[in-house]
Amino acid sequence: MEEGNRTNTYLIPANSKKSMLLFGVFNKVDLTIFIIGIGVSFLLMMFLPVSNFWVAILSISPGLICSFLVFPIPNYHNIRTVIRNAWIFYTTRQRYIWKGWCFEYGERSKK
């Protein structure tokens, strides 16, 4: 490129938002949820008799649930985001604006 014909041609990489995340996957809330879930599972495994199958399942369930919530998926940040978006969609009133071929834009014309 010539020095006199310089234009602002910036390329934004596709993963530019990932640099704002911890480990490229988690934000602070996600990492907090994950650490608390694993910590609670670890404490339950220390204090409950995990020789029984159902007690073992109960003790690892907080870690599994929290891991499921922060698991990254395409087109969304993680499953927690999908659940939040679905909750907002089904609990708030939706307003659909339809403009078809029979809709007149502006005031009605007098013919």
Side-chain angles (χ1 to χ4, degrees):
M1 217 180 231
E2 294 179 6
E3 199 62 36
N5 192 8
R6 183 177 285 179
T7 59
N8 291 333
T9 54
Y10 297 108
L11 269 176
I12 299 173
N15 62 355
S16 62
K17 291 270 187 182
K18 282 191 166 191
S19 65
M20 296 171 28
L21 301 174
L22 302 168
F23 306 118
V25 177
F26 300 106
N27 59 21
K28 291 178 183 177
V29 175
D30 296 333
L31 198 56
T32 303
I33 290 171
F34 182 70
I35 289 172
I36 289 173
I38 296 298
V40 168
S41 289
F42 184 70
L43 287 174
L44 287 174
M45 286 173 48
M46 283 177 34
F47 295 117
L48 292 178
V50 291
S51 58
N52 187 354
F53 176 74
W54 294 110
V55 175
I57 295 295
L58 178 70
S59 65
I60 65 170
S61 63
L64 290 175
I65 292 170
C66 291
S67 298
F68 173 75
L69 287 175
V70 299
F71 185 78
I73 56 173
N75 302 326
Y76 288 94
H77 177 68
N78 55 23
I79 294 178
R80 189 175 60 89
T81 306
V82 173
I83 293 170
R84 186 183 69 222
N85 289 344
W87 177 260
I88 290 170
F89 178 78
Y90 287 117
T91 58
T92 58
R93 183 179 173 135
Q94 303 300 317
R95 183 172 166 239
Y96 299 105
I97 301 171
W98 180 80
K99 294 181 180 180
W101 59 271
C102 62
F103 183 80
E104 293 183 9
Y105 299 100
E107 294 182 14
R108 188 174 276 238
S109 62
K110 296 178 183 178
K111 291 185 181 181

